[in-house]
Amino acid sequence: MIWTLFTIPALAGLAAFFMKSRAALRTLLVATAVAHLALVITVAATHGAPRYGAWVGVDALAIVFLFITSVLFMAASVYAVGYLAAETPGARTDIEDGELFSNEPEAVFVGCLLFFLASMTLVITSRHMGLLWAAVEATTLASAPLIFFHRHHRSMEAAWKYLMICSVGIGLALLGNLFIAAALGPSADTGLVIDELSAAAPRMNPLWLKAGFIFLVVGYGTKMGLAPLHTWLPDAHSESPSVVSALLSGALLNCAFLGILRAWQLLAAAGLTAFAAPILVAFGLVSIGLTALFLVRQTDYKRLLAYSSIEHMGIMALGVGLGGIATYGALLNAVNHSMAKAALFLVSGNLLRAFRSKEIASVTGSMRIAPVSSIIWLCGAFAITGMPPFGVFVSEFTIIRGAIDGGHVVIAVTVLLFLGVAFAAVAASVLSMVQGEPPAGVIREKETLLTILPPAVLAAVVLMLGLYVPPFISSALHKASLALEVLQ
Amino acid sequence: MTMLASIALVLLVLSNIRLLGGSRLGTLIQTVAIQGVILAFLPLFAHPGGGLNYELLAMAAATGLIKGLVLPRMLTRAVRDVQVRREVEPIVGYSTSLLVGLAALAVSAYLGWKLSPAEPAVSPLLVPVAIFTVLVGLFLIMTRRKALTQVVGYLVFENGIYTFGVSLAYRQPLLVELSVLLDVFVGVFVMGIIVFHIQREFDHIDADKLSLLRDGESQEEHQ
């Protein structure tokens, strides 16, 4: 049952490469997304504890991340149908420097999207540190062609940078896994399945285990976009098609975060959280602080969203590092951030199509050009900066409360300050885009349902999570945060 | 056996120093190929009892084939296709690079001494040499301008990880075998360089010029 979660998208991806008809490709994409979501729901309803020693399984943490990935992919695939239909075929001129370029073949694009889904699902469901590592590498290889969908030199640069930086990160993560294997000592016969490792953790060599944790955090942290390892992220997010940006930001970064959480579980089992927590807190604070500065001087609205993602990854790392109720907050924030950020990226694609510019300064009066998109854009922006009544407010508030409960008042105040700066920066940019008169030459086009409905639904989910967290979501999150607290 | 392994590891250190001082891409690729051959011998010393098994033999053969033959050939092909100027224009000069290399060697010796006792390694030199090779690879990636030289740097970085892995090759062969997946990255990089040059979508493969997307000055120029 669990195997079908990633074999179905993988097989569908393989099939996509041999398909010519656009209609068939788009149907395959949406059908696979529906099948994946249905399977995730079934697995969530029926799963028990994963079998001890199994390489692939679904535990409380995996369920949360599976749902995020599957729901986002569902929204993205519907949006992609509308998006691909509106792309001009053949060669066309680039909006920024007028050079000619053409798109990647649609079969490659859809095939890579499905491989991307398969590899992310494998990351989430794998319970073997080596398999998880290999799956993270697979996500990198599957997503690089997606960033390069518009084959012009800027997306080429972004994809090259993404591959180069993330491959170094992946190398460091392998070194971290090797260190953890070394920590087992010469006599041990233990494999690298998380259950076995956790059972053996108290007897492991603490020095090697700590070294392994650092390398895993740095390695997967590169992929997750923790500052100062984030340098690939703004480029990749701003140059890839909006539907890909949404998946990168909402789903991929979470998968990398899960890699770090697995390492954290090991350290918790070994009773070394006192060593691990300050590392996550430090990465979290640096990410939150640095992005606040970059948000203020940002002139490109897709990069603005990208920096906001780094900020939220920092908030999540901080939450887990602080522990207690903040862990719950971090997981809730993973859900909220993914939904809100994906909605924003999808809408940014609509604005980009209407205004043909990614500059914040050249977009004005979007309310008159694309009213529905603009309303979602505003809601999303207020949601992502943590305004009530949206869900991010609840999750950020929970983390701050966790900090104060734990006696870290200085951290709480610092974070609030940075969040304030980020709010001011994002709100100023977004309001200037929505209000005023549209520039001459930009005409109002009919907004299609396929490109509006997915972000609207995602934004509605964030709003709902701010007002009311349904019991099945809160109990799943509680179980997941318990898995991060006690594993001894 | 430890003696032979130590000799191989010393040769690895020497090859790293040659990489730090080398300027011609041809030399760099040749040196990396020699590294691949040296690495192929290491699994033969990995059995704790001094014996051999099929898994270790297969690992040695695959390493020699991929790192010693296939990847260097692809790199040479890329040099020919792309007609990259043979000299490299490094951010840090060659003599300074050598000095940095010496410092890295000292750091690796210290770290290796701190960490070594956990694992009865192939040779006492294994952990320090592995760390040194990783550091040299990272240094090459960061300080060389040509995309191709950076790929060579990545290969060296990855060789260092593999060297460390050899100490675990007997108990955890899977992890070491997984490191082949890092070779896939090298392959993708080289293919990227070859293919996109041919398609002329990218005039220069100078990764340092990939600065258009950097925040700051370049952005202000756009306005």
Side-chain angles (χ1 to χ4, degrees), chain A residues 119 122-123 129-139 177 220, chain B residues 178 181:
Chain A
S119 54
L122 188 58
V123 172
M129 294 300 270
L131 183 64
L132 184 131
W133 177 85
V136 172
E137 162 158 349
T139 60
N177 279 324
Y220 292 140
Chain B
L178 277 179
L181 290 178

Side-chain angles (χ1 to χ4, degrees), chain A residues 46-139:
Chain A
T46 58
H47 87 104
R51 192 168 54 77
Y52 185 87
W55 282 35
V56 171
V58 172
D59 59 359
L61 261 180
I63 285 290
V64 172
F65 287 91
L66 267 181
F67 261 106
I68 297 177
T69 307
S70 199
V71 168
L72 276 197
F73 195 85
M74 184 71 235
S77 68
V78 173
Y79 182 90
V81 173
Y83 175 83
L84 289 171
E87 283 286 288
T88 351
R92 60 201 159 115
T93 49
D94 182 24
I95 50 171
E96 278 181 38
D97 44 26
E99 283 178 26
L100 273 179
F101 76 96
S102 60
N103 285 351
E104 225 165 47
E106 208 170 301
V108 176
F109 185 69
V110 171
C112 284
L113 270 178
L114 292 168
F115 280 143
F116 190 34
L117 175 65
S119 54
M120 286 193 295
T121 310
L122 188 58
V123 172
I124 298 169
T125 51
S126 65
R127 300 190 56 73
H128 182 283
M129 294 300 270
L131 183 64
L132 184 131
W133 177 85
V136 172
E137 162 158 349
T139 60

Side-chain angles (χ1 to χ4, degrees), chain A residues 137 167 190 208 299 303 307, chain B residues 118 154 172 181 213 215 219:
Chain A
E137 162 158 349
S167 60
T190 322
W208 282 100
T299 57
R303 294 178 81 86
Y307 277 108
Chain B
Y154 188 77
Q172 303 282 358
L181 290 178
L213 299 170
D215 287 292
Q219 283 236 326

Side-chain angles (χ1 to χ4, degrees), chain B residues 133-175:
Chain B
T133 312
V134 167
L135 290 178
V136 168
L138 285 175
F139 182 76
L140 289 176
I141 296 173
M142 285 187 289
T143 61
R144 300 302 191 247
R145 286 181 197 272
K146 295 277 178 226
L148 259 172
T149 329
Q150 293 184 336
V151 175
V152 170
Y154 188 77
L155 192 49
V156 175
F157 163 72
E158 192 221 311
N159 285 347
I161 296 172
Y162 176 87
T163 308
F164 183 82
V166 167
S167 67
L168 301 163
Y170 181 66
R171 281 195 296 108
Q172 303 282 358
L174 178 79
L175 270 184

